Amino acid sequence: MRNDEQPSATADVEEPSAAVYPPPGEAGPMRLMGWARRRLFNTPTNVALTLLCLWFLWETVPPLLAWALFNAQWTGTPATCREATGACWALVGEKHRLMLFGLYPYDEHWRPLIATLLLLGMLGVSSQRRFWRRGLALAWVAAVAVMAVLMWGGVLGLRPVDTTLWGGLPLTLLLALAGIAVAFPLSIVLALGRRSDLPVVRAVCVGYIELIRGVPLVSVLFMASVMFPLFMPEGVTVDKLLRAQIGIILFTAAYLAEAVRGGLQAIPRGQYEAADAMGLGYWQKTVLIVLPQALRIVIPPMVNQFISTFKDTSLVTIVGLFDLLTSVKASLADPEWRPFFIEAYVFAALIYWCFCFLMSRYSQRLEEDLMAGTRR
Amino acid sequence: MTEPIILFENVDKWFGSFHVLRDVSLTVGKGEKVVVCGPSGSGKSTMIRCVNRLEEHQAGRIVVNGVELSDDLKAIEAIRRDVGMVFQSFNLFPHLTVLENLTLAPLWVRRMPKREAAEIAMHYLERVRIPEQAHKFPGQLSGGQQQRVAIARALCMKPSIMLFDEPTSALDPEMVKEVLDVMTELAEGGMTMVCVTHEMGFARAVADTMVFMADGAVVETSPPAEFFSAPRNERTRQFLSQILAH
């Protein structure tokens, strides 16, 4: 095994100092007491801080648990919810289909459901490095085709569903993932262009990045949705969803490009010189030597941007698209359930959190995998 | 002397207003081993880096292997394919294994089949005596091993000229010998070599010609026997007395 031979593999891991752990020999509660005395009650300031924290936890955690779990209504009607003191999760049970799929025709909800599950399955498979082969690319092409057929319909006896009716989680995932997938290569081109020796290329890339970074996403989306059609010739229309998607791609690419540029700048000059000296051309040097190293370095800021993009998709509500958050909001249109808006938003927040947390954890693992053995 | 393979004719170069190479003329014959020395800042690294156009010269002519260096990218690429270079700081690619470092240029520049490239790589790894490290990453090797990998990497392109830019300066003392041994073997094999180095023992044993540079100019060019025993120039004498004092 390659890692076993690595001499410095464990050298970076600092042994925690002895004080962190209780001395051996003491058992159970005594160890805990000893630890607490040494770490939490060792000075008057620490005693005060510890007591303050305990008081704060006492005041917040039990009521929160009572509301969210113990006194919560898991099933029932708005009437039973109103009588209960806890959260009304019955709302989610009642309205989850509207929340998850938005305006998509109710009887056809199985289609976005399968498309979403397929997408999540593909993401799961793709996250495993052992599947990173040519077959995976083909699988993605097939999966995207299946998802498109499911969502659009119009063939194989499926009822056609216009993109204006797409909504909820599938829409959020589409906007975020397609946005990231297209913006990523675009951002690399922009970052390389910004460091190009060709003045025109550099000027175009700098201009683009600075222009897009200088305006809020909301205005980019607004431009794409309201202004853009005004410039189109009569009779030519571009799908509203596509316009919003392009807006997100352009916006994300500008930010990602700056992250990638940071990585490019971190590559020592010697790497370029060694590549030059062996006769590699510009693109060979870039693709084989520079980018693999640069992109590794910028995984953290890149994932930061991915997470940001994922959440920013909720802004498409201003151009009238029913993303996850908008669909959740729409589910509160029913006056009977409207008082339980907190539960609805907590539900939406949990979904966003799950995806963002998974991205974050995955990026950490990827970083470790890629860095293994390559430390200088 | 045999036919010249590297030719510098009245080469001048400036970094901004700093005149880094002054009227440098130099001829290196096929199979000749040239050791370039001189105080730091004397332009010896810049000179050697002009040979494969890592640095551009601004006046004069440089002809390598019959091809004159100009803005013609094709000419530059042709020369780089034929000139191997070893750097002071190794410049191995840290994201690739040792074997991948070695096969990269043969695969992508020479368009060699994978098997053949790997065979050549293993052949040169054996010559630099570290075949067992083939599947490690550069960061897992010692400095001396890394520099030997760098030499093997350059050799995999079957170059007709090898340039060494202070190959042992970044090494811990105990690793200098293993690198110099490899270089000596290479010299005995008949390779044309231009080495910028302060290893005077190596120079004495291997060099056909010593070149002494100061302030961007070639001050003295002579065979090592003469260079070390009877240097003609005052600057050379001074430099040698400093470097050989201990």
Side-chain angles (χ1 to χ4, degrees):
Chain A
M1 281 277 100
R2 173 190 290 172
N3 282 348
D4 295 343
E5 293 160 8
Q6 189 180 336
S8 63
T10 53
D12 306 351
V13 184
E14 222 173 275
E15 265 309 303
S17 68
V20 177
Y21 295 121
E26 287 178 41
M30 285 310 291
R31 286 178 65 162
L32 192 64
M33 291 281 286
W35 172 84
R37 222 184 6 254
R38 271 191 307 277
R39 307 290 296 175
L40 302 178
F41 297 100
N42 52 345
T43 65
T45 325
N46 273 3
V47 171
L49 283 174
T50 304
L51 291 177
L52 192 69
C53 289
L54 286 175
W55 171 80
F56 180 76
L57 291 175
W58 179 252
E59 285 291 310
T60 52
V61 174
L64 184 68
L65 289 178
W67 177 80
L69 299 175
F70 305 136
N71 300 337
Q73 286 288 307
W74 298 93
T75 52
T77 60
T80 59
C81 270
R82 261 194 300 280
E83 276 160 35
T85 54
C88 179
W89 300 123
L91 164 76
V92 175
E94 178 77 19
K95 299 284 184 189
H96 68 278
R97 286 178 67 168
L98 180 55
M99 290 173 168
L100 289 177
F101 301 119
L103 301 179
Y104 208 89
Y106 195 82
D107 295 338
E108 309 283 340
H109 275 180
W110 60 275
R111 283 157 55 181
L113 177 67
I114 293 178
T116 306
L117 292 177
L118 180 60
L119 180 63
L120 295 179
M122 283 303 293
L123 288 174
V125 170
S126 307
S127 70
Q128 303 297 315
R129 287 185 81 197
R130 63 199 143 104
F131 294 122
W132 290 5
R133 302 200 207 105
R134 192 166 302 227
L136 186 62
L138 295 175
W140 267 106
V141 172
V144 168
V146 171
M147 287 187 270
V149 167
L150 280 170
M151 292 299 287
W152 257 301
V155 288
L156 304 173
L158 292 171
R159 205 173 116 198
V161 178
D162 194 74
T163 57
T164 48
L165 296 178
W166 295 13
L169 185 60
L171 184 75
T172 290
L173 288 175
L174 170 71
L175 288 169
L177 294 174
I180 289 167
V182 180
F184 180 53
L186 181 59
S187 74
I188 293 175
V189 172
L190 284 168
L192 291 172
R194 190 164 186 168
R195 286 168 58 80
S196 168
D197 293 330
L198 309 170
V200 178
V201 172
R202 196 170 52 229
V204 168
C205 291
V206 171
Y208 173 83
I209 291 170
E210 296 304 336
L211 180 73
I212 297 285
R213 281 204 310 167
V215 294
L217 177 57
V218 172
S219 54
V220 173
L221 290 172
F222 220 71
M223 286 278 285
S225 148
V226 180
M227 303 270 288
F228 180 69
L230 299 179
F231 297 118
M232 296 301 283
E234 196 93 20
V236 176
T237 55
V238 179
D239 188 274
K240 183 162 74 173
L241 175 59
L242 183 61
R243 277 179 275 147
Q245 179 74 76
I246 290 172
I248 288 176
I249 290 170
L250 296 181
F251 189 80
T252 304
Y255 275 87
L256 272 182
E258 286 299 278
V260 174
R261 185 166 70 100
L264 293 177
Q265 278 172 346
I267 305 302
R269 227 180 73 168
Q271 295 288 307
Y272 292 88
E273 288 179 349
D276 283 339
M278 52 175 61
L280 294 178
Y282 173 81
W283 287 108
Q284 290 178 330
K285 181 169 64 177
T286 303
V287 171
L288 297 170
I289 308 299
V290 178
L291 283 178
Q293 297 185 59
L295 294 181
R296 256 166 232 209
I297 300 173
V298 297
I299 287 176
M302 240 163 27
V303 171
N304 206 18
Q305 185 56 45
F306 290 170
I307 288 175
S308 181
T309 297
F310 188 85
K311 293 182 294 185
D312 282 351
T313 56
S314 56
L315 290 171
V316 296
T317 184
I318 67 136
V319 296
L321 290 172
F322 272 71
D323 73 299
L324 177 62
L325 189 62
T326 314
S327 301
V328 166
K329 228 183 281 179
S331 72
L332 295 168
D334 185 345
E336 283 285 295
W337 291 99
R338 196 171 297 158
F340 308 107
F341 63 92
I342 293 181
E343 287 83 341
Y345 286 125
V346 167
F347 177 65
L350 273 177
I351 295 178
Y352 280 105
W353 181 81
C354 281
F355 281 101
C356 294
F357 183 68
L358 281 176
M359 273 195 265
S360 163
R361 291 312 297 254
Y362 177 66
S363 82
Q364 281 169 25
R365 218 187 71 199
L366 188 64
E367 218 177 313
E368 273 166 29
D369 283 1
L370 292 176
M371 289 294 174
T374 66
R375 279 188 216 95
R376 274 181 244 229
Chain B
M1 200 194 305
T2 54
E3 54 178 308
I5 194 166
I6 303 175
L7 184 73
F8 275 59
E9 260 179 24
N10 312 104
V11 171
D12 277 279
K13 176 171 177 60
W14 289 264
F15 283 133
S17 61
F18 179 55
H19 201 166
V20 61
L21 291 181
R22 294 169 196 265
D23 197 27
V24 169
S25 292
L26 186 73
T27 316
V28 179
K30 200 165 182 150
E32 192 178 352
K33 287 102 188 98
V34 176
V35 168
V36 184
C37 59
S40 66
S42 59
K44 45 196 196 305
S45 278
T46 309
M47 198 260 290
I48 199 176
R49 288 157 60 87
C50 280
V51 175
N52 60 355
R53 194 80 165 181
L54 287 184
E55 303 285 357
E56 240 175 83
H57 62 288
Q58 279 126 13
R61 286 177 72 218
I62 300 177
V63 183
V64 180
N65 235 347
V67 183
E68 177 165 0
L69 280 173
S70 63
D71 287 334
D72 180 8
L73 283 175
K74 286 267 169 291
I76 295 172
E77 277 173 21
I79 287 171
R80 284 175 174 171
R81 272 198 293 274
D82 208 36
V83 176
M85 185 156 198
V86 175
F87 299 86
Q88 180 177 354
S89 48
F90 328 138
N91 294 350
L92 294 176
F93 304 128
H95 62 299
L96 301 177
T97 63
V98 166
L99 190 64
E100 288 165 340
N101 264 278
L102 265 65
T103 54
L104 187 87
L107 285 178
W108 293 93
V109 180
R110 289 246 189 273
R111 302 278 167 195
M112 207 180 267
K114 227 172 178 171
R115 276 259 320 264
E116 196 185 337
E119 275 165 20
I120 292 176
M122 287 313 294
H123 168 74
Y124 282 110
L125 277 182
E126 266 156 39
R127 268 187 64 179
V128 300
R129 291 184 285 274
I130 35 175
E132 72 282 2
Q133 313 285 1
H135 298 287
K136 287 194 189 172
F137 287 96
Q140 295 167 288
L141 306 186
S142 74
Q145 290 173 325
Q146 290 194 46
Q147 193 60 299
R148 284 186 280 153
V149 170
I151 295 173
R153 177 173 75 174
L155 291 174
C156 279
M157 286 290 280
K158 305 255 171 88
S160 52
I161 303 168
M162 282 287 283
L163 308 175
F164 292 86
D165 187 3
E166 305 209 27
T168 56
S169 303
L171 294 177
D172 289 335
E174 77 272 20
M175 294 171 184
V176 170
K177 186 175 174 296
E178 63 190 55
V179 172
L180 291 180
D181 285 348
V182 166
M183 289 170 63
T184 308
E185 269 181 39
L186 191 60
E188 284 161 359
M191 176 68 73
T192 308
M193 289 166 66
V194 182
C195 311
V196 173
T197 182
H198 292 141
E199 297 295 336
M200 289 302 137
F202 169 79
R204 226 189 280 255
V206 166
D208 299 313
T209 310
M210 295 296 299
V211 172
F212 178 73
M213 287 184 74
D215 298 327
V218 173
V219 173
E220 184 159 351
T221 308
S222 52
E226 191 186 323
F227 183 83
F228 287 108
S229 57
R232 276 163 295 172
N233 190 288
E234 178 55 30
R235 299 276 315 254
T236 319
R237 268 196 291 276
Q238 242 174 30
F239 177 77
L240 284 176
S241 71
Q242 275 162 357
I243 202 167
L244 299 173
H246 38 171

